[in-house]
Amino acid sequence: SQHEWWCSEAALGMPPERYAERIQGETWGGANELRIFADNFQTELMVFHIHEQKVEVVRFGEDAGYSERVFLIHDGIHYDLVVKEVDTNAPALDVRRFEASDEQAVELARAVAEAEHRAR
């Protein structure tokens, strides 16, 4: 299965036990964990990397046929969730998961990522 492959030495670049020890220390997760999250939550993750010369997009779970998508911005250190604010007085109403077919949401998330990139 995919999950077994992600937990393999080939995918992790080291024995799984060593990787588990490393990730529990001061090292943060990255692509491996995002793949696992996408699979576990059956949601496509679209990550906008803003720490490069230009905004780069990496997707996890894009070929799995998931019905929902989540947008993240990665600044080289942290991953931040992109949300659509519905009501400034009611953050619980913010949209965090979008329809995977919603191309308007993709463009809005890209615009947020581009603005964050320019502000760096």
Side-chain angles (χ1 to χ4, degrees):
S1 81
Q2 286 183 328
H3 179 70
E4 291 169 357
W5 185 83
W6 293 331
C7 294
S8 71
E9 186 169 345
L12 299 173
M14 62 185 70
E17 299 78 18
R18 188 164 142 225
Y19 186 86
E21 289 173 10
R22 184 177 144 262
I23 201 73
Q24 290 177 28
E26 293 186 23
T27 301
W28 290 85
N32 288 321
E33 288 72 26
L34 292 174
R35 284 186 196 100
I36 292 168
F37 287 162
D39 186 42
N40 186 59
F41 293 105
Q42 296 186 344
T43 301
E44 178 186 335
L45 303 179
M46 182 179 278
V47 181
F48 297 92
H49 292 278
I50 64 169
H51 55 94
E52 303 293 334
Q53 294 285 354
K54 63 178 184 167
V55 176
E56 299 287 337
V57 178
V58 178
R59 292 177 156 184
F60 300 91
E62 73 273 18
D63 295 329
Y66 299 138
S67 62
E68 293 184 305
R69 180 183 291 140
V70 169
F71 302 105
L72 300 168
I73 294 177
H74 183 239
D75 65 4
I77 300 172
H78 296 286
Y79 290 89
D80 293 309
L81 181 64
V82 177
V83 300
K84 180 179 178 183
E85 188 176 73
V86 176
D87 182 341
T88 57
N89 296 317
L93 297 177
D94 289 351
V95 178
R96 293 165 176 79
R97 297 174 89 162
F98 300 84
E99 292 293 321
S101 61
D102 187 347
E103 290 305 313
Q104 183 180 16
V106 172
E107 292 311 313
L108 291 172
R110 183 181 304 280
V112 170
E114 293 284 351
E116 290 292 320
H117 182 259
R118 284 190 301 274
R120 291 181 60 84

